[in-house]
Amino acid sequence: PFLVLYPAAWINHPLEAAIKGYYHRDAQKELEAVKGLTVIGLTGSYGKTSTKDILHAMLSTTFNTLKTPESYNTKMGLTLTLRKDLRPYHDFFIAEMGAKEVGDIAELVRFVSPHAALITSIGRMHLDTFGSEENIKKTKLELFTTDGKQRLKFINRYDETLAAFTPEGPSI
């Protein structure tokens, strides 16, 4: 089976990448078409989904709010949510952002361009793919540092790693 499946996957890779690229571009068009939409990006080693759900519950009492379902925190998860559920009447989109490698959060930030950013925690998750705690920290902080845009930044000051971090620009 390996001798058949591996070459087939290798041959199909460019086609699959082109199809994914189409869906990603379509999702970005959907996102850009909603005028006045505020995008909130949130990440953390733990607490992302609970924080997203609490934030959604609070905002949705007054605003039309969309959140990524369950743990849809990859580029394809964000793409699926935007293409399937985003409507012109939404006021907020809460994008949970997960990472397993350096650069994952930066890719998601470039994809949805959040106006506000929230990091719940920085811990020792996915050390097998990150390689070090420093890489985990660097990746989570990509939410604040990617593309140089000013964002409102929310930091969990009870997290000892984040407590020492002082972002540029407005933060809470």
Side-chain angles (χ1 to χ4, degrees), residues 2-129:
F2 176 78
L3 295 175
V4 173
L5 292 177
Y6 186 77
W10 184 77
I11 290 168
N12 281 332
H13 181 74
L15 177 61
E16 288 181 21
I19 291 169
K20 281 183 184 178
Y22 166 79
Y23 286 121
H24 295 322
R25 287 186 301 278
D26 186 60
Q28 281 184 308
K29 287 178 190 173
E30 294 283 333
L31 187 62
E32 291 166 5
V34 180
K35 300 301 178 207
L37 180 71
T38 298
V39 178
I40 301 170
L42 71 97
T43 193
S45 297
Y46 47 87
K48 292 183 298 291
T49 304
S50 297
T51 302
K52 174 190 68 183
D53 290 341
I54 292 166
L55 186 56
H56 178 264
M58 290 171 27
L59 288 172
S60 64
T61 62
T62 307
F63 302 100
N64 290 309
T65 306
L66 174 64
K67 64 175 179 167
T68 51
E70 302 167 15
S71 292
Y72 282 39
N73 58 22
T74 63
K75 189 172 183 179
M76 191 51 79
L78 294 176
T79 297
L80 180 63
T81 303
L82 292 169
R83 292 188 76 241
K84 181 178 170 230
D85 299 322
L86 185 65
R87 300 290 178 264
Y89 56 77
H90 280 117
D91 301 306
F92 286 92
F93 172 51
I94 305 168
E96 180 177 336
M97 299 179 172
K100 291 189 178 173
E101 297 175 346
V102 173
D104 284 353
I105 299 297
E107 178 183 30
L108 298 176
V109 167
R110 286 189 295 272
F111 183 56
V112 298
S113 297
H115 302 93
L118 186 152
I119 300 178
T120 61
S121 60
I122 296 179
R124 300 172 48 105
M125 307 300 272
H126 305 297
L127 270 173
D128 57 324
T129 56

